[in-house]
């Protein structure tokens, strides 16, 4: 991967991770729950750590964080999340793609 490509990927994943954290912070159903206040603080801390990872060029860590953080929305089948990411970051990301691929493979293998 060239330096220019890596810089573009770093920027992309920084934006995606921050947008994901913002989404969870802004969610109304979470903000009404007193237990979420600690989680909200944690997400804010992760935002600043995301900037540090970006400055240090830690692309693989940012990708892992994005995958781990989006797992919540994938498991919850939160279809609004994809649209939020697209609107906030302008990146057309389908967080359900790997999930759909796994289902297609199961069907293709005849396990269903």
């Amino acid at each position: 991967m060239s330096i220019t490509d890596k810089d573009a990927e770093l920027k992309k994943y920084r934006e995606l991770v921050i947008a994901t954290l913002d989404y969870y912070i802004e969610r109304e159903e979470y903000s009404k729950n007193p237990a979420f206040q600690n989680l909200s603080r944690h997400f804010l801390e992760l935002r600043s750590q995301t900037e540090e990872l970006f400055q240090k060029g830690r692309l693989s860590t940012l990708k892992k964080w994005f995958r781990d953080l989006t797992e919540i929305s994938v498991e919850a089948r939160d279809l609004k999340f994809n649209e939020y990411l697209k609107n906030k970051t302008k990146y057309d990301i389908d967080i359900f793609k790997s999930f759909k691929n796994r289902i297609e493979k199961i069907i293709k293998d005849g396990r269903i």
Side-chain angles (χ1 to χ4, degrees):
M1 181 180 288
S2 74
I3 292 174
T4 307
D5 291 342
K6 184 176 180 185
D7 288 345
E9 283 286 289
L10 271 166
K11 181 180 180 232
K12 174 183 176 179
Y13 279 93
R14 177 190 62 183
E15 290 179 31
L16 289 169
V17 169
I18 287 174
T20 302
L21 292 167
D22 288 348
Y23 181 76
Y24 295 133
I25 290 167
E26 295 168 8
R27 298 272 313 254
E28 188 175 313
E29 61 266 26
Y30 293 140
S31 63
K32 290 180 182 177
N33 184 340
F36 178 73
Q37 299 309 312
N38 290 333
L39 190 54
S40 182
R41 269 187 253 123
H42 177 66
F43 286 152
L44 289 170
E45 288 172 19
L46 289 177
R47 270 181 122 266
S48 65
Q49 289 177 22
T50 299
E51 289 298 332
E52 289 175 27
L53 291 169
F54 173 75
Q55 295 300 324
K56 292 178 180 178
R58 303 286 166 85
L59 178 59
S60 60
T61 304
L62 289 174
K63 284 182 174 183
K64 182 183 181 318
W65 279 24
F66 180 68
R67 186 183 64 243
D68 292 349
L69 288 166
T70 57
E71 196 171 303
I72 298 166
S73 292
V74 171
E75 289 179 3
R77 311 290 188 271
D78 186 354
L79 302 175
K80 294 177 186 176
F81 180 66
N82 260 353
E83 279 302 309
Y84 177 87
L85 278 180
K86 189 174 183 178
N87 291 335
K88 182 113 178 185
T89 67
K90 307 302 182 222
Y91 294 111
D92 193 8
I93 301 291
D94 183 2
I95 63 165
F96 300 103
K97 184 177 181 178
S98 64
F99 178 76
K100 291 174 193 173
N101 289 343
R102 283 185 293 182
I103 298 299
E104 288 173 8
K105 185 176 181 336
I106 290 169
I107 292 169
K108 183 180 174 187
D109 292 347
R111 292 188 273 165
I112 291 185

